[in-house]
Amino acid sequence: MVSKNWLSAVALAAACALPATAVALTVTPVECQEGSDFIRNAALSRDQGMSAKDFLARLETDLAALRFIPVQLRWFAQDDDDEHLLRTAAERVFAFPRDPEAHSLEFRAQCRVAILVAATAQSKVALRESPVR
């Protein structure tokens, strides 16, 4: 079992690692869970001998193919920010090998923080754009 302190540390690290462009993130909490499963599977692939080069090349091929699908029908990678979040997490799987579940938890925390950051930014924009009463 993972401690709450460790999860808090992961969430904080995730928030600090977010790109400035993360405010456009379009994923949902369910997609964060599904994305974390993908990242876990990336770590399992690594553990079975798949190289970073091969895995990341396949990821880029898949992301390129997804761009031909209408945005509303895509899973997760609906825009550049979504792709960046997934790509960065996949790169970390190979650059900083850890237990697959640890990578999964880190991604899920980072993804959820990104959703909160995006929602906060959107709320601020809406407040600035609303007419003064």
Side-chain angles (χ1 to χ4, degrees):
M1 177 168 257
V2 178
S3 74
K4 287 184 179 183
N5 289 341
W6 187 83
L7 286 177
S8 297
V10 167
L12 179 60
C16 294
L18 288 174
T21 58
V23 295
L25 198 76
T26 59
V27 298
T28 66
V30 170
E31 289 169 325
C32 286
Q33 175 62 47
E34 293 168 348
S36 74
D37 292 343
F38 175 82
I39 294 303
R40 180 180 178 278
N41 289 335
L44 290 171
S45 295
R46 177 205 63 213
D47 291 350
Q48 293 299 312
M50 186 171 222
S51 71
K53 180 181 176 185
D54 289 343
F55 187 89
L56 296 171
R58 178 62 187 258
L59 175 60
E60 290 304 323
T61 300
D62 291 349
L63 291 173
L66 284 173
R67 291 184 200 113
F68 289 99
I69 298 171
V71 172
Q72 63 275 20
L73 299 178
R74 293 183 203 169
W75 165 84
F76 203 94
Q78 297 173 2
D79 63 20
D80 291 343
D81 293 326
D82 299 348
E83 288 183 19
H84 178 79
L85 186 65
L86 196 62
R87 182 183 300 108
T88 301
E91 290 168 350
R92 288 183 58 77
V93 163
F94 291 92
F96 306 102
R98 292 180 297 151
D99 178 73
E101 190 61 27
H103 284 290
S104 176
L105 289 171
E106 180 182 54
F107 177 83
R108 193 173 325 134
Q110 184 173 2
C111 187
R112 289 179 178 168
V113 168
I115 289 172
L116 293 173
V117 169
T120 301
Q122 290 169 356
S123 295
K124 287 180 180 180
V125 168
L127 285 173
R128 281 195 302 264
E129 293 176 353
S130 67
V132 178
R133 294 180 186 207

